[in-house]
Amino acid sequence: MQTLFRKDYFTNKRFLITGASSGIGAAIALELNALGAEVIAIGRNIEKLEAKKAMASHKEYFIPVIKDIGIFEGLDKWTLNLAKKYGSFDGAVLSAGVQQIAPISSVLSVETATAIFHVNYFGNLQILKGLLDKRAKSIHGASFVWISSNASVKAQKGLSNYAATKAGINAAIRSIALEIAPKYRINAVSPGFVMTEMIESWSKVYDKEFIDKITSEYPLGIGKVENITPLVCFLLSISSSWITGQNIVIDGGGSL
């Protein structure tokens, strides 16, 4: 009988992770590496990526790659070249993203709206396009996970554009799932409020009063990155081989 989650699935596998220098992306990259996978860790900051590599269980299989995916022109071809350089991929986690608090009555503009779409949506989309190119020779059965947000399903003031980028992901993966089945799978994961380096660096916005308020609103409390990684690893594994085109909300009941 097949077990629910086969850790040995990740041995000798290769995954690409965007947004791997911090937060959820970094946690996923380190977990996959600990499970025996080779990780191509993409981020904008070499110091942060090297710091994560120093934490890796199998440092020789944690490969930092510097790239700003917000500059998305030609990113699909760049990704194809990664596959040619390192070998075929067994999947990817599209985790790169930026937060934006922009009330429509004051801060939000077409320019600021477009800038966040470049990273959260178009950049990750081009990475995925490169991996799906037949010349990339991604492994049959490869699984892709795109990190969305519960902001796409729960209204929050000041997050209209950020929520739109994430809602776009939820809609896109449904059509993409139909296009790439049965050879590949793709799903989205929508975390709620999770304590990350980015949240901590925005202490003026996410102050103690705000954190206490969110904690009281979440039935299971504020999330940690380690609450998200098991679900992502499950979706990348053979144990989830009958799941595709889904957006799975994981937010401690915050969207209830």
Side-chain angles (χ1 to χ4, degrees):
M1 179 181 293
Q2 180 175 297
T3 59
L4 179 62
F5 180 63
R6 288 174 44 188
K7 290 187 177 181
D8 66 323
Y9 173 78
F10 299 100
T11 303
N12 299 320
K13 304 293 183 180
R14 181 179 296 109
F15 295 92
L16 180 152
I17 316 293
T18 69
S21 61
S22 63
I24 292 173
I28 294 167
L30 289 171
E31 181 66 16
L32 287 171
N33 179 264
L35 291 170
E38 181 180 63
V39 170
I40 309 302
I42 298 175
R44 294 181 296 178
N45 188 303
I46 185 59
E47 289 80 12
K48 288 183 178 180
L49 283 175
E50 290 292 349
K52 298 306 177 185
K53 180 175 182 177
M55 299 167 61
S57 300
H58 307 287
K59 294 177 178 56
E60 66 276 23
Y61 299 129
F62 190 102
I63 303 172
V65 176
I66 303 303
K67 191 68 174 178
D68 181 356
I69 74 165
I71 304 172
F72 58 83
E73 292 84 359
L75 199 53
D76 53 337
K77 294 180 181 178
W78 177 84
T79 305
L80 174 59
N81 287 331
L82 279 185
K84 291 178 178 178
K85 179 177 180 179
Y86 294 107
S88 302
F89 285 90
D90 295 272
V93 180
L94 307 172
S95 182
V98 291
Q99 175 66 282
Q100 182 188 69
I101 300 175
I104 194 168
S105 59
S106 55
V107 179
L108 187 62
S109 66
V110 172
E111 290 75 20
T112 58
T114 302
I116 190 173
F117 263 94
H118 284 181
V119 179
N120 293 8
Y121 187 79
F122 295 119
N124 284 308
L125 185 68
Q126 287 292 88
I127 292 283
L128 179 62
K129 181 180 179 182
L131 292 174
L132 293 176
D133 189 305
K134 63 181 180 181
R135 293 170 293 178
K137 298 180 180 178
S138 291
I139 303 299
H140 194 289
S143 177
F144 305 96
V145 177
W146 201 337
I147 304 299
S148 182
S149 168
N150 80 336
S152 64
V153 297
K154 178 185 179 182
Q156 299 176 60
K157 294 180 180 179
L159 295 184
S160 59
N161 191 58
Y162 174 76
T165 68
K166 298 301 186 176
I169 292 169
N170 301 350
I173 59 106
R174 292 169 58 83
S175 293
I176 294 170
L178 284 179
E179 288 185 33
I180 66 178
K183 189 174 182 180
Y184 307 124
R185 298 183 297 113
I186 185 169
N187 293 283
V189 168
S190 288
F193 194 90
V194 175
M195 289 303 296
T196 64
E197 294 100 319
M198 180 179 71
I199 297 300
E200 292 171 354
S201 68
W202 285 23
S203 57
K204 290 184 179 179
V205 176
Y206 300 116
D207 56 17
K208 184 179 184 302
E209 182 180 355
F210 180 90
I211 297 298
D212 289 343
K213 179 177 181 294
I214 292 293
T215 300
S216 67
E217 293 176 351
Y218 274 54
L220 300 182
I222 289 178
K224 302 175 182 179
V225 290
E226 53 263 35
N227 296 136
I228 310 303
T229 52
L231 174 59
V232 175
C233 289
F234 169 71
L235 291 172
L236 292 172
S237 78
I238 196 173
S239 295
S240 62
S241 60
W242 210 45
I243 302 175
T244 195
Q246 303 303 305
N247 172 43
I248 302 174
V249 176
I250 177 168
D251 66 356
S255 57
L256 295 177

